[in-house]
Amino acid sequence: MSNTHRTTQTQNSRDSQQEPEREEDREAQEEIEQEPERAPRKTRKRTRPSPEGEESTHEPEARAPGPMEVLRQARAQLAELTGLVPESVSSFEQTENGWSLEVEVLELERVPDTMSLMGAYQVELDQDGQLTGYRRVRRYERGRADARPGGR
Protein backbone atom coordinates (compact mmCIF):
# COMPACT_ATOMS: atom_id res chain seq x y z
CA MET A 1 0.00 0.00 0.00
CA SER A 2 1.18 3.46 -0.78
CA ASN A 3 1.24 6.31 1.74
CA THR A 4 -1.45 8.14 -0.21
CA HIS A 5 -3.79 5.15 0.07
CA ARG A 6 -3.17 4.85 3.82
CA THR A 7 -3.87 8.56 4.36
CA THR A 8 -7.13 8.31 2.42
CA GLN A 9 -8.11 5.20 4.36
CA THR A 10 -7.35 6.88 7.71
CA GLN A 11 -9.31 9.97 6.70
CA ASN A 12 -12.28 7.83 5.59
CA SER A 13 -12.28 5.95 8.90
CA ARG A 14 -12.29 9.28 10.79
CA ASP A 15 -15.21 10.53 8.70
CA SER A 16 -17.20 7.39 9.40
CA GLN A 17 -16.59 7.79 13.14
CA GLN A 18 -17.78 11.39 13.08
CA GLU A 19 -20.86 10.66 10.97
CA PRO A 20 -23.10 9.66 13.92
CA GLU A 21 -22.28 12.96 15.68
CA ARG A 22 -23.20 14.85 12.57
CA GLU A 23 -26.45 12.89 12.32
CA GLU A 24 -27.28 13.83 15.92
CA ASP A 25 -26.38 17.44 15.24
CA ARG A 26 -28.68 17.47 12.22
CA GLU A 27 -31.55 15.99 14.26
CA ALA A 28 -31.07 18.53 17.01
CA GLN A 29 -30.95 21.36 14.48
CA GLU A 30 -34.14 20.09 12.83
CA GLU A 31 -35.90 20.03 16.22
CA ILE A 32 -34.85 23.61 16.86
CA GLU A 33 -36.04 24.71 13.43
CA GLN A 34 -39.40 22.99 13.92
CA GLU A 35 -40.11 24.74 17.23
CA PRO A 36 -42.32 27.78 16.82
CA GLU A 37 -40.50 31.05 17.32
CA ARG A 38 -41.21 32.61 20.65
CA ALA A 39 -42.11 36.24 20.67
CA PRO A 40 -40.33 38.40 23.23
CA ARG A 41 -42.28 38.82 26.43
CA LYS A 42 -44.14 42.04 26.73
CA THR A 43 -44.01 43.83 30.03
CA ARG A 44 -47.27 45.05 31.41
CA LYS A 45 -47.67 48.36 33.03
CA ARG A 46 -49.10 48.24 36.50
CA THR A 47 -52.41 49.89 37.04
CA ARG A 48 -53.46 51.44 40.28
CA PRO A 49 -56.72 53.02 41.22
CA SER A 50 -56.42 56.77 41.46
CA PRO A 51 -57.96 58.62 44.40
CA GLU A 52 -61.03 59.27 42.25
CA GLY A 53 -61.45 55.52 41.63
CA GLU A 54 -60.13 55.63 38.05
CA GLU A 55 -57.30 53.35 37.00
CA SER A 56 -54.09 55.05 35.96
CA THR A 57 -51.16 53.48 34.17
CA HIS A 58 -47.70 53.75 35.73
CA GLU A 59 -44.30 52.33 34.88
CA PRO A 60 -43.22 49.54 37.24
CA GLU A 61 -41.61 51.01 40.33
CA ALA A 62 -37.83 50.76 40.57
CA ARG A 63 -36.62 48.67 43.47
CA ALA A 64 -34.94 50.73 46.21
CA PRO A 65 -31.40 49.59 47.04
CA GLY A 66 -31.00 47.48 50.15
CA PRO A 67 -28.70 48.35 53.07
CA MET A 68 -25.73 46.36 51.76
CA GLU A 69 -26.00 47.98 48.32
CA VAL A 70 -26.12 51.41 49.96
CA LEU A 71 -23.01 50.62 52.03
CA ARG A 72 -21.08 49.47 48.95
CA GLN A 73 -22.17 52.48 46.91
CA ALA A 74 -21.27 54.91 49.70
CA ARG A 75 -17.78 53.45 50.12
CA ALA A 76 -17.12 53.39 46.37
CA GLN A 77 -18.39 56.92 45.79
CA LEU A 78 -16.46 58.36 48.76
CA ALA A 79 -13.26 56.65 47.57
CA GLU A 80 -13.76 58.04 44.06
CA LEU A 81 -14.33 61.58 45.31
CA THR A 82 -11.59 61.74 47.95
CA GLY A 83 -9.00 59.29 46.63
CA LEU A 84 -8.91 57.73 50.11
CA VAL A 85 -9.65 54.11 50.94
CA PRO A 86 -12.61 53.55 53.30
CA GLU A 87 -11.77 50.94 55.92
CA SER A 88 -15.04 50.55 57.78
CA VAL A 89 -18.51 51.95 58.36
CA SER A 90 -18.96 52.80 62.03
CA SER A 91 -22.56 54.00 61.85
CA PHE A 92 -25.38 53.61 59.40
CA GLU A 93 -29.00 54.73 59.49
CA GLN A 94 -31.90 55.44 57.18
CA THR A 95 -33.22 58.98 57.35
CA GLU A 96 -36.33 60.60 55.89
CA ASN A 97 -34.19 61.92 52.98
CA GLY A 98 -32.11 58.80 52.36
CA TRP A 99 -29.17 57.39 54.31
CA SER A 100 -26.57 58.71 56.72
CA LEU A 101 -23.27 56.90 57.38
CA GLU A 102 -20.05 57.49 59.26
CA VAL A 103 -17.14 56.00 57.32
CA GLU A 104 -13.64 55.47 58.73
CA VAL A 105 -10.91 56.31 56.20
CA LEU A 106 -7.12 55.90 56.26
CA GLU A 107 -5.81 59.40 55.59
CA LEU A 108 -2.08 59.05 56.27
CA GLU A 109 -0.28 55.73 56.63
CA ARG A 110 2.57 55.66 59.16
CA VAL A 111 4.90 53.11 60.73
CA PRO A 112 3.98 51.68 63.15
CA ASP A 113 0.42 51.24 61.94
CA THR A 114 -0.99 52.45 65.26
CA MET A 115 0.34 55.93 64.43
CA SER A 116 -1.52 56.15 61.08
CA LEU A 117 -3.97 59.03 60.80
CA MET A 118 -7.61 58.11 60.36
CA GLY A 119 -10.55 60.27 59.40
CA ALA A 120 -14.22 59.79 60.21
CA TYR A 121 -16.48 61.11 57.46
CA GLN A 122 -20.20 61.81 57.69
CA VAL A 123 -21.66 60.66 54.35
CA GLU A 124 -25.19 61.50 53.17
CA LEU A 125 -26.95 59.57 50.39
CA ASP A 126 -30.35 59.96 48.76
CA GLN A 127 -33.02 57.23 48.63
CA ASP A 128 -31.35 55.70 45.52
CA GLY A 129 -27.96 55.41 47.23
CA GLN A 130 -26.34 58.33 45.39
CA LEU A 131 -23.93 60.40 47.44
CA THR A 132 -25.28 63.89 48.08
CA GLY A 133 -22.62 65.14 50.48
CA TYR A 134 -19.82 64.28 52.88
CA ARG A 135 -17.66 65.99 55.51
CA ARG A 136 -14.85 64.97 57.83
CA VAL A 137 -16.11 65.06 61.40
CA ARG A 138 -13.05 63.70 63.18
CA ARG A 139 -9.34 63.03 62.63
CA TYR A 140 -7.37 60.77 64.97
CA GLU A 141 -4.46 58.35 65.31
CA ARG A 142 -5.45 54.74 64.72
CA GLY A 143 -4.10 53.59 68.11
CA ARG A 144 -5.96 56.21 70.18
CA ALA A 145 -9.23 55.45 71.90
CA ASP A 146 -11.94 58.07 72.18
CA ALA A 147 -11.99 59.94 75.46
CA ARG A 148 -14.96 58.82 77.53
CA PRO A 149 -17.20 61.30 79.27
CA GLY A 150 -16.57 61.56 83.02
CA GLY A 151 -12.78 61.03 82.76
CA ARG A 152 -12.84 57.23 82.67
Side-chain angles (χ1 to χ4, degrees), residues 45-62:
K45 293 182 179 180
R46 294 183 184 178
T47 58
R48 292 188 193 163
S50 66
E52 298 82 35
E54 302 169 4
E55 284 193 1
S56 61
T57 305
H58 297 281
E59 290 296 321
E61 292 181 18

Side-chain angles (χ1 to χ4, degrees), residues 7-150:
T7 305
T8 307
Q9 221 177 13
T10 306
Q11 192 173 9
N12 287 342
S13 67
R14 284 187 201 144
D15 291 344
S16 65
Q17 289 173 353
Q18 292 177 352
E19 192 62 38
E21 289 179 12
R22 290 182 183 166
E23 182 69 27
E24 290 172 4
D25 290 343
R26 274 189 237 129
E27 289 174 4
Q29 184 63 32
E30 286 173 7
E31 287 178 17
I32 291 170
E33 289 172 357
Q34 290 175 0
E35 286 183 15
E37 287 189 33
R38 294 184 181 161
R41 297 180 86 188
K42 294 182 181 179
T43 57
R44 285 186 167 181
K45 293 182 179 180
R46 294 183 184 178
T47 58
R48 292 188 193 163
S50 66
E52 298 82 35
E54 302 169 4
E55 284 193 1
S56 61
T57 305
H58 297 281
E59 290 296 321
E61 292 181 18
R63 183 182 65 83
M68 291 307 295
E69 287 178 78
V70 170
L71 287 172
R72 287 185 198 106
Q73 289 176 4
R75 291 175 60 141
Q77 292 175 63
L78 184 63
E80 188 174 347
L81 286 170
T82 63
L84 302 171
V85 179
E87 290 200 354
S88 65
V89 176
S90 56
S91 73
F92 174 75
E93 68 178 312
Q94 190 167 14
T95 64
E96 61 185 44
N97 297 328
W99 302 88
S100 178
L101 297 84
E102 187 168 309
V103 181
E104 308 294 323
V105 174
L106 176 63
E107 290 194 339
L108 181 62
E109 192 169 9
R110 291 188 177 159
V111 176
D113 192 44
T114 55
M115 296 303 292
S116 294
L117 289 179
M118 302 294 293
Y121 285 77
Q122 185 70 39
V123 179
E124 304 295 326
L125 294 101
D126 64 13
Q127 295 288 346
D128 298 325
Q130 297 302 309
L131 193 137
T132 58
Y134 72 93
R135 64 180 161 39
R136 184 173 62 200
V137 292
R138 206 171 96 212
R139 194 170 194 202
Y140 58 96
E141 290 177 340
R142 186 190 296 268
R144 301 254 179 192
D146 287 339
R148 291 189 178 193

